[in-house]
Amino acid sequence: MKAIHLGLRQRRSPALESSFFDPEMPAEWRVAYLLNEQDALWVAGDDPDVETVLAELDDSPNAVFVVVEDAAWSAAWQSLADAGPHAIVRLGDDTPVWRPEGGDQPAVVGLVPASDQPADLHAWLSAFLDQAPAEAALFVEGEPPSVATVDRLRTLVELMGR
């Protein structure tokens, strides 16, 4: 059985600050909160909270699937990857990323747009799983980020018995 992890690509979007996170929540708590809600995390090259992310992953009792853009990669990420238990993927220019609109190349990381259409989400999820290795992560992209789409995907994964 394949393990599929779900998350948001734009986790640092200002829209999440007003719609997902409690406005009273300190910024340094947001990564921990997000890790309680999702098991995949995308770290962009320009993210200013990389040290917070590394610390939260180091303290996390659960394994997390982490995608780290090449520009954010450092020796600290390599050490965390070597130590486990997290699955950490270094995303460079030559790393394939699956998208619904095409590409037959197998990929461990996928991106889908936000959607409230169950048929589209099911088709995208099924197509991603068909090409994915044993452990992979599917991220929802778009501005504003759609926590609802991640939740819909999670429900579909559960209904599919994954």
Side-chain angles (χ1 to χ4, degrees):
M1 182 180 302
K2 293 184 180 182
I4 181 76
H5 303 274
L6 302 169
L8 293 169
R9 181 175 184 196
Q10 289 86 356
R11 67 177 179 83
R12 295 201 33 85
S13 168
L16 284 181
E17 292 178 19
S18 62
S19 65
F20 181 68
F21 297 115
D22 183 323
E24 305 283 323
M25 179 184 293
E28 61 272 11
W29 292 7
R30 292 182 180 152
V31 173
Y33 182 77
L34 192 59
L35 289 176
N36 283 329
E37 300 295 317
Q38 301 175 1
D39 65 345
L41 193 67
W42 188 293
V43 179
D46 60 352
D47 284 352
D49 65 344
V50 171
E51 293 303 317
T52 301
V53 171
L54 285 162
E56 289 298 334
L57 289 170
D58 195 40
D59 290 342
S60 178
N62 302 317
V64 178
F65 193 106
V66 185
V67 172
V68 182
E69 291 180 3
D70 209 24
W73 192 262
S74 66
W77 284 110
Q78 188 62 54
S79 294
L80 189 63
D82 292 343
H86 308 293
I88 300 177
V89 173
R90 183 177 182 175
L91 190 65
D93 292 338
D94 59 343
T95 309
V97 175
W98 182 90
R99 293 176 187 269
E101 62 271 4
D104 299 352
Q105 188 173 15
V108 69
V109 176
L111 287 170
V112 296
S115 176
D116 60 359
Q117 299 301 309
D120 289 342
L121 292 172
H122 184 266
W124 297 338
L125 181 60
S126 295
F128 179 69
L129 288 171
D130 285 347
Q131 65 79 49
E135 186 171 23
L138 189 60
F139 290 86
V140 176
E141 67 177 336
E143 188 60 46
S146 177
V147 174
T149 300
V150 174
D151 292 341
R152 288 180 188 105
L153 285 167
R154 182 170 291 106
T155 299
L156 283 170
V157 167
E158 290 170 6
L159 290 171
M160 294 168 75
R162 305 239 177 197

